[in-house]
Amino acid sequence: MANTVKDAILRGRKTVETVVEGGLDTVETVVEAGLNTVDAVVVKGRRTVESAVSLGRRTVESALLGRSTMQAAVLHGREDIRIEEVPIPKAAVGELIVRVGAALTCGTDLKVFRRGYHARMIVPPALFGHELAGTVVEAGDGVAAFAAGNRVVALNSAPCGQCFFCERGQENLCDDLLFNNGAYAEFIRIPARIVAKNTLHVPDHVPLEHAALTEPLACAVHGFEDSGARSGDTIAVIGGGPLGLMILHVAALAGCHAIAIVKHDGQAEAARQLGAAHVVQTTSIRKAVRETRALTEKNRGVDIAIEAVGLPDAWEEALELVRKGGTVNFFGGCALGTHVNLDTNRIHYSDITLRSTFHHTPAICRRALDMIAEGRFQAQAFITGHAHLYELNRVFEKLMKRSSEIKTAIVP
Ligand SMILES: [Zn+2]
Ligand SMILES: [Zn+2]
């Protein structure tokens, strides 16, 4: 066990809480231990580390006035993330600086890690990560809705509100969707447009790591709602990744008879916990189709099939799962340039509705956070691990090996 804050920090324990776990529980003892880092807190009259933490000053260093750099993950290319010392951003007009409480790993980040870029979202070298919640440490001029100390979830994008698509209520298709990255860091700048349109107050009883699920949950809710399900419908979800499981859970909560089609044991177990009525576990598409249809009356097929893998083969599979008059939602985005072969006869003469839901809208993001706050949504089931920012490379390497982890909360 570390005897001083300095020892604790040298051993990689960068947060005040982990220092406190080491037995130093007041600012005075931290200062006595040989570091003047928390002087600023004392000067402000906050005598305990806990009260500093509640103000959003979560690291020992951030308690130092005038600190100008922070640790952040910088993506340099394929499978190359480096934790670097970079300037702490300052809030310009309309912006917020948020102390990251938790940043969640996501399938999109994993794709970016593997490919080294994302055509729409990120071009290296760049700050990285987009699912986060935290505490406001600085509000720029003109920000009325938020102040230092507020707990917030800031979404990864915001629409312009003015283009053809925004005016039609299809903000997910905005011609000028603004993306924000940099959640794997101690602090993140939230651009003015995201502050104005897609930053939400987190109720006190909701842990920040749960609130950080707002973004993926909004995508899942959007996909589910777009599929037009009614209570009692049978709905098959292909894919046991975080989003597949989330859609499955949303469907089960809405009273649907949900069938999970997954490959791995951990995914099957998670699907059951999240309300799947049946789990079809196989790596064979033929088998998945046969077994899923066998779960419906007279092998009729499911009312709705949602593909949440993002592979052309799985898109084709989804079409084979639905009954006459059913709906298919191609929810998983495939790699650029890929194509599918679909049976036109089946689509036409079986009167099948094809949809392909993308992203989220501000209204859906609000509904997603409400769902998390209400407590029926099992947020804790989606966060299967915790890691420090320094461990980010290892976390992604592990995710690439298809471990049973759903999401890891990265705590800076
Ligand atoms: Zn995400
Ligand atoms: Zn727009």
Side-chain angles (χ1 to χ4, degrees):
M1 184 168 293
N3 290 321
T4 67
V5 174
K6 191 175 257 169
D7 286 346
I9 292 170
L10 289 175
R11 296 176 66 231
R13 297 178 178 277
K14 309 254 325 165
T15 72
V16 171
E17 276 122 335
T18 58
V19 172
V20 173
E21 278 165 22
L24 301 168
D25 60 1
T26 68
V27 171
E28 289 74 25
T29 55
V30 169
V31 175
E32 277 165 23
L35 286 189
N36 64 352
T37 48
V38 208
D39 281 352
V41 183
V42 177
V43 165
K44 284 182 163 257
R46 307 272 159 198
R47 298 187 65 83
T48 67
V49 172
E50 286 81 0
S51 64
V53 172
S54 70
L55 275 185
R57 299 175 183 281
R58 292 179 61 97
T59 71
V60 172
E61 295 93 324
S62 74
L64 231 196
L65 284 182
R67 183 180 160 214
S68 60
T69 61
M70 65 170 183
Q71 304 279 314
V74 180
L75 179 79
H76 283 270
R78 276 187 53 208
E79 296 178 30
D80 184 6
I81 298 171
R82 300 177 210 161
I83 307 303
E84 295 177 2
E85 196 75 24
V86 305
I88 296 176
K90 300 292 287 173
V93 176
E95 294 183 340
L96 292 177
I97 305 302
V98 170
R99 160 77 203 163
V100 178
L104 305 180
T105 59
C106 160
T108 305
D109 291 343
L110 185 60
K111 269 189 222 171
V112 171
F113 179 72
R114 216 186 258 138
R115 294 177 191 164
Y117 68 96
H118 186 291
R120 293 195 69 180
M121 277 173 59
I122 187 163
V123 180
L127 297 175
F128 186 43
H130 66 274
E131 295 178 9
L132 77 128
T135 309
V136 174
V137 291
E138 187 189 356
D141 287 345
V143 176
F146 303 98
N150 288 171
R151 300 164 82 241
V152 296
V153 55
L155 276 294
N156 64 332
S157 72
C160 76
Q162 289 164 5
C163 70
F164 172 84
F165 298 98
C166 283
E167 286 189 343
R168 290 168 60 97
Q170 294 178 302
E171 295 107 320
N172 58 315
L173 303 177
C174 173
D175 275 332
D176 183 28
L177 209 52
L178 174 75
F179 284 99
N180 194 30
N181 278 289
Y184 301 130
E186 292 180 78
F187 301 88
I188 182 172
R189 176 208 312 275
I190 311 301
R193 194 200 283 175
I194 295 180
V195 174
K197 299 199 166 155
N198 257 346
T199 299
L200 311 175
H201 286 278
V202 176
D204 286 342
H205 71 279
V206 179
L208 290 174
E209 65 183 38
H210 292 184
L213 289 165
T214 300
E215 194 270 326
L217 180 57
C219 295
V221 168
H222 193 196
F224 174 72
E225 290 183 352
D226 258 4
S227 307
R230 287 178 260 189
S231 180
D233 276 359
T234 297
I235 174 164
V237 181
I238 306 174
L243 270 166
L245 291 172
M246 236 174 234
I247 294 171
L248 181 92
H249 189 43
V250 168
L253 289 176
C256 293
H257 192 80
I259 302 172
I261 302 176
V262 302
K263 286 185 177 170
H264 307 286
D265 291 347
Q267 298 172 336
E269 197 180 307
R272 277 186 203 100
Q273 187 192 338
L274 293 168
H278 301 279
V279 175
V280 173
Q281 189 182 347
T282 174
T283 51
S284 148
I285 287 179
R286 291 262 51 86
K287 211 170 145 210
V289 171
R290 197 173 60 236
E291 287 187 15
T292 303
R293 283 188 159 267
L295 292 168
T296 61
E297 209 181 304
K298 296 180 188 164
N299 285 299
R300 182 199 290 144
V302 299
D303 301 304
I304 294 165
I306 300 183
E307 194 277 359
V309 177
L311 289 174
D313 284 352
W315 279 40
E316 292 172 13
E317 172 187 352
L319 181 64
E320 295 185 49
L321 294 172
V322 290
R323 63 166 168 81
K324 286 191 282 188
T327 296
V328 175
N329 194 329
F330 302 120
F331 180 84
C334 301
L336 203 67
T338 49
H339 296 83
V340 286
N341 260 312
L342 298 177
D343 180 343
T344 54
N345 257 45
R346 171 147 169 71
I347 293 169
H348 179 75
Y349 293 103
S350 295
D351 196 351
I352 289 169
T353 301
L354 304 180
R355 305 222 42 148
S356 193
T357 305
F358 167 69
H359 209 54
H360 49 65
T361 66
I364 292 173
C365 292
R366 280 153 180 79
R367 283 215 294 289
L369 179 59
D370 286 346
M371 272 182 78
I372 293 167
E374 281 162 12
R376 276 207 313 148
F377 178 80
Q378 293 179 42
Q380 74 290 345
F382 290 91
I383 298 163
T384 49
H386 293 81
H388 193 276
L389 190 56
Y390 295 120
E391 301 171 279
L392 196 59
N393 266 302
R394 188 187 58 73
V395 168
F396 277 111
E397 279 160 16
K398 203 168 153 200
L399 286 173
M400 286 213 298
K401 286 180 199 129
R402 300 185 166 282
S403 68
S404 58
E405 300 287 348
I406 303 175
K407 281 178 174 289
T408 300
I410 306 296
V411 184

